[in-house]
Amino acid sequence: MRLVRRVGPVVAVVSVLALTPMLAACTGGSAGESSSCVAPYLDDQGPGGTYGGPAATASAGGALTVYGHWYTASCNDTNHGSDDHVPLPAVRLTLTLPDSSSQDLGAFTPSGGDLGFHVVVQLPRTSVPGTASVTDDREPPAVYRFTITSP
């Protein structure tokens, strides 16, 4: 004899009601809108550059410009006129070299069209080849990794 367990209509309704807020959160709002806010991020592309492009390679002793983008406490991905971008407070950046040594790059205040900033990172001539990173002091931090080669 095979036992079949039936799910009653109350359980089905409760399941649908429990999932509805989660599904609505994924859509970002009403029809025609989508959620696409970009968290603050660091890269080597200026404003209007290519998001997610390949990481840079720089020579020891050379320089690399790192850009911060979308350092905002708000999200206006629906183009509502009342949803203004609010800049985050200044962030501190740290350069970590392949040998695990680090350098404080200073504090940077977001501004401009993409609520960003930039810093020219001078790489030590004595740096060993390998992966280096620039990290901000937020939690969780934005991290930009790039490669240092021999001079």
Side-chain angles (χ1 to χ4, degrees), residues 60-128:
L64 174 70
T65 302
V66 175
Y67 296 87
H69 305 275
W70 298 114
Y71 278 75
T72 177
S74 57
C75 176
N76 181 4
D77 67 344
T78 59
N79 294 322
H80 292 162
S82 61
D83 294 340
D84 293 329
H85 290 295
V86 177
L88 289 172
V91 294
R92 289 202 81 75
L93 298 180
T94 301
L95 169 66
T96 303
L97 296 165
D99 66 0
S100 297
S101 64
S102 61
Q103 296 178 4
D104 178 30
L105 299 175
F108 298 87
T109 302
S111 65
D114 76 344
L115 291 173
F117 50 81
H118 72 278
V119 57
V120 176
V121 179
Q122 185 65 47
L123 302 172
R125 181 167 292 289
T126 57
S127 179
V128 297

Side-chain angles (χ1 to χ4, degrees), residues 58-60 127 129 148-151:
S59 297
S127 179
I148 298 178
T149 60
S150 298

